[in-house]
Amino acid sequence: MQTLWGFVVIVLTAAVVENAVFARGLGIGNLADMPRDYKELLDYGVLVTALTCISGALSWLGEYALHRIVDPAVYRSHVKNPVFILSIFAAYLIVRKGLAVFWPGRFQRSEKNLAVSAFNGAVLGSILLASSQRYNLSQTLFYCLGSGAGFCVALLLIFSGRERMEISRVPRAFKGQPILLIYIGILSLAIYGLIGHQLPT
Amino acid sequence: MSGLLSDNPALVQGLGIALLAAASTTLQKGAVLSVLTFGTTVPLALADDLMRRVPAWLRLPLYSLAAMALVQLFSSLWLVRYPLLIDSLGIYLPIVAVNSMMQQTLLDGARPGGRWEKVFRALMRCAGFCVALCLISALREVAGFGTLWDHPLKTRMRFAGILLPFSGFIVLGYACAAFRRAERGLRVALWRASLSRAPGRDR
């Protein structure tokens, strides 16, 4: 029971407290090219979650294997980041092949977004954060799952906000990107307050 | 030149938000991230001819792998001299390798055009992005720490909240709006000037 509760805490931490989008601005570098439909957006989010989980597991295995061979200080400063990007590359190849073989319809739909979903700040950021917290394999997987779920929810919130703002009266200079960024900032502030942080004095 | 103004990747296209809104808390960080952005985007734009032979589905992954190699090279070199600064960048240092500004610039490079034309375009886009990054970083450092490039200023006001990511989004939003307004004003001024210079205006 305690282990299960531990996993729930990890998922909630990754999804809310350390939300990739609102706490670190990751994965939304290309807002203008984001899907403009709820279903497509959800597809994109699920793809990012799957890629985060697979690359998280692969990076954990890589880290586990290399920690025994390479000096920890050298590993942290010179080896860790290349190992992580290679894990993402491996996850990208696995998902691509898996979709093409088992789910060709889905593959055709998401082929265009697949590389962007994999080589994305949210995926790399999540596995970097999971690694910095020295989680074991199952904890890393739950952290990546929570991070992906948080990313999905954040995308949906941003999308619904964008839809409402498109039909609202906004000063001309703020239309589109500027007002969306301010909206994300306010949501980020709300989450920051919700989890009980205090602003530095 | 459009990368600097009308197609500015940071203030018009909204690319690279993680670096602009979350990582840009001091001018030194902004400068390091800017050098890394230049150091990854421009060499990879030079390798564009080579990348065009690679299948499209493999292009972005290869760009990201090569960018990570370059980031690692730069950070290893700097780590000896500026260990604290490099350490303070945390996860944002490797994030440069998957920066959407770099990705978009390099993938757009697959369009037809001369090699030097593409390199110049990449340079201009990097310049536009880095100017915005450094300006936002400087503003947040002055308002948040009361320093500029680590030198104390004579300001008494400190807004520590501006260093947090939510303020980064809001500052970036206002910066985008101000840039848009200024650019529109400039265009109108240029248009009026061209009208007043046009022949037959006096008739």
Side-chain angles (χ1 to χ4, degrees):
Chain A
M1 191 65 191
Q2 205 171 358
T3 316
L4 191 69
W5 179 242
F7 287 144
V8 171
V9 170
I10 288 173
V11 170
L12 285 177
T13 305
V16 184
V17 183
E18 293 179 10
N19 186 290
V21 175
F22 296 124
R24 296 177 196 272
L26 299 170
I28 50 163
N30 209 351
L31 275 175
D33 285 349
M34 289 272 174
R36 287 185 166 258
D37 171 63
Y38 276 110
K39 198 170 171 291
E40 268 184 59
L41 207 63
L42 210 59
D43 266 4
Y44 178 73
V46 169
L47 210 55
V48 169
T49 309
L51 283 159
T52 310
C53 290
I54 297 170
S55 50
L58 292 174
S59 64
W60 187 89
L61 291 171
E63 200 162 36
Y64 183 76
L66 285 169
H67 248 306
R68 289 152 188 261
I69 308 166
V70 186
D71 175 60
V74 175
Y75 174 80
R76 202 162 54 88
S77 54
H78 301 294
V79 185
K80 190 169 110 175
N81 296 335
V83 166
F84 284 3
I85 200 92
L86 284 171
S87 314
I88 295 175
F89 184 54
Y92 169 68
L93 293 179
I94 291 169
V95 169
R96 196 184 149 80
K97 192 73 188 165
L99 281 179
V101 172
F102 299 110
W103 213 342
R106 174 79 193 264
F107 176 66
Q108 275 188 339
R109 261 189 292 140
S110 52
E111 193 187 5
K112 197 181 78 182
N113 284 335
L114 201 56
V116 180
S117 319
F119 294 90
N120 176 316
V123 177
L124 181 59
S126 300
I127 59 176
L128 281 164
L129 289 169
S131 149
S132 70
Q133 302 187 32
R134 299 181 188 281
Y135 285 144
N136 61 31
L137 181 59
S138 51
Q139 287 171 326
T140 302
L141 276 172
F142 276 97
Y143 186 89
C144 291
L145 185 70
S147 190
F151 180 72
C152 264
V153 172
L155 282 189
L156 290 173
L157 276 172
I158 292 172
F159 182 76
S160 73
R162 182 162 68 180
E163 261 190 342
R164 281 160 193 251
M165 279 181 291
E166 274 171 5
I167 52 167
S168 307
R169 286 185 64 186
V170 175
R172 202 165 148 196
F174 283 88
K175 267 190 180 157
Q177 189 81 16
I179 194 70
L180 191 61
L181 285 167
I182 294 171
Y183 169 71
I184 296 172
I186 292 168
L187 277 179
S188 171
L189 174 61
I191 289 172
Y192 197 78
L194 186 75
I195 56 180
H197 279 304
Q198 282 192 337
L199 287 176
T201 50
Chain B
M1 292 294 277
S2 65
L4 270 175
L5 291 170
S6 59
D7 276 338
N8 187 300
L11 300 174
V12 177
Q13 296 179 343
L15 300 171
I17 290 175
L19 304 183
L20 289 160
S24 62
T25 50
T26 66
L27 184 54
Q28 286 184 343
K29 283 186 187 178
V32 171
L33 292 172
S34 299
V35 175
L36 280 174
T37 305
F38 266 107
T40 50
T41 311
V42 177
L44 291 177
L46 274 166
D48 182 64
D49 287 347
L50 200 68
M51 283 296 195
R52 283 168 83 174
R53 293 179 201 160
V54 171
W57 65 271
L58 206 55
R59 221 170 273 158
L60 183 61
L62 287 184
Y63 275 134
S64 303
L65 291 174
M68 183 60 93
L70 290 168
V71 167
Q72 199 56 50
L73 181 73
F74 280 111
S75 63
S76 299
L77 292 174
W78 286 337
L79 199 61
V80 186
R81 291 192 68 178
Y82 313 106
L84 287 178
L85 181 60
I86 295 297
D87 221 35
S88 71
L89 284 167
I91 64 160
Y92 293 103
L93 189 77
I95 290 294
V96 174
V98 290
N99 178 8
S100 55
M101 195 287 294
M102 180 201 77
Q103 293 178 341
Q104 190 102 331
T105 304
L106 295 172
L107 293 179
D108 278 2
R111 287 182 197 156
R115 175 202 266 192
W116 296 110
E117 192 183 316
K118 286 174 189 172
V119 173
F120 182 71
R121 188 170 168 271
L123 260 172
M124 285 298 113
R125 282 174 66 82
C126 282
F129 181 79
C130 294
V131 167
L133 179 61
C134 287
L135 285 176
I136 291 173
S137 306
L139 177 75
R140 290 176 78 189
E141 185 182 351
V142 169
F145 292 117
T147 59
L148 188 61
W149 198 268
D150 248 1
H151 295 297
L153 300 174
K154 285 178 184 169
T155 53
R156 288 188 179 181
M157 301 283 269
R158 299 272 193 286
F159 302 102
I162 205 166
L163 300 169
L164 296 168
F166 66 80
S167 304
F169 288 118
I170 295 171
V171 168
L172 185 59
Y174 274 97
C176 289
F179 184 78
R180 188 180 283 182
R181 184 86 182 82
E183 202 215 345
R184 192 174 294 146
L186 186 71
R187 277 188 191 194
V188 169
L190 287 174
W191 178 69
R192 282 188 182 148
S194 70
L195 272 186
S196 64
R197 267 189 272 120
R201 164 96 180 154
D202 300 334
R203 267 181 280 156

